[in-house]
Amino acid sequence: MRKIFLLMALINVFAGNLFGQRYVGGDISLLPEYEKAGAKYKSHGGEPISDLVPWLKAKGMNAMRVRLFVNPKRYAQLHPSGSLAQDPNACQDLEYVIPLCKRIVDAGISLMLDFHYSDTWADPAKQWTPVDWEGLSDEQLYDKIYSYTKETLQILKREGITPDFIQPGNEISYGMLWGPAGTSAPKKTFMGNNANWDRLGKLLGNAIKACREECPKAGIVIHTERVAQVDVQNNFYDKMQQLDVDYDIIGLSYYPYFHGPLSNLNTALGSLQNRYPTKKIMIVETGYSYKWEVPGTTVDLQNVWPYSDQGQNKFARDLVDTLEKYTNCNGLFWWWMEYNAFGTNLQGWYNAPLFDSTTGCATSALETICSFAESAGINSIVADEKDNVIYNLQGIPVKEMHNGGIYIVNGKKVIKQ
């Protein structure tokens, strides 16, 4: 008799929450813009994709990330040109994200909501306070971040959208809400300096309080990007512990063309897992080029991963192999995976998505990163050989395989194109 051991399902029963499985997907915050521009998405084999979101789910992706800015239109009005000018890709206000988030949750895909707490990109180099919040004192900001987070989540819930994961802040290694754009003495947090850490702890504490009240089952992600500087990374999360910040998941950015080889990530992950054994770890941003160098590249790793479909796929395979070594690591999100200029007049291509802008076809890496989730589900199903029964990812017998699905036949994984 055939025996099926759904190890992942058992873990979920005992865990009783979202953390007993692995999540794979990407940030697809600009998908509506590409669809509006006429982008034509295709499978790796060239078949047209009518609706990308359910297609991605069928390929094995089970989570998507969407960023949220406070008032990007207002910021663009005040900074029409110059070094502080708004990037048109930072357009995701609440009105914008609602239909996209609804598409994601309606497709049965887990949603990660990424609060930037800014009107424009928030990252290690800039964490500018939203224009409408600029005149607030620190005490008033503590109240504002709470009320804004709470009201935003309430609005989303009224629309039938409850995030499964929430990021209060984006790449906040050096703090957030520094002050107005271009502030000469921003309120940063630094290793070896006690300034502004208490302030950051209160901001995060109030934001997370709102998240816990409105979305008590959501996993809270604290996101940094210092994998190449493990001492800085560990100092940050040590501070989170000292400040008693209530969170569940350590979120990391890892871009090899900025952060160096996988040995750097390996060191960072090992240190985090040993130091904070109760925290899950997710790579919430990663990517590698399928063609040409990404602008601003500081580490050339073409000798390991050439700029090609095969090279990008090798990076994806090597990344998955690295993450699988860490039991606490349960998430992998590819950043800007939906970029696709094929069929559009878009210029200034981004070179590291999971679609080829010269053909519209999915790159090989898309299916490869999905194997990270499969290894916690499909690969944990043990089957007697040669019974010829087709099973889906849940271990349930099915009559036939459908295009774009992943199945088990005779104890082996089969992907039906």
Side-chain angles (χ1 to χ4, degrees), residues 255 257-258 289 291-299 307 335-336 347-353:
Y255 297 101
Y257 43 87
F258 296 144
S289 180
K291 193 176 294 185
W292 309 300
E293 180 180 275
V294 173
T297 290
T298 55
V299 183
Y307 295 149
W335 193 70
W336 211 350
Q347 302 295 319
W349 288 358
Y350 175 57
N351 304 327

Side-chain angles (χ1 to χ4, degrees), residues 235-265:
N235 176 74
F236 180 92
Y237 290 104
D238 282 350
K239 289 289 189 182
M240 296 299 99
Q241 188 168 326
Q242 293 164 13
L243 294 165
D244 199 26
V245 174
D246 174 25
Y247 74 103
D248 308 295
I249 301 161
I250 293 171
L252 303 175
S253 292
Y254 170 62
Y255 297 101
Y257 43 87
F258 296 144
H259 300 129
L262 274 170
S263 58
N264 287 354
L265 178 62

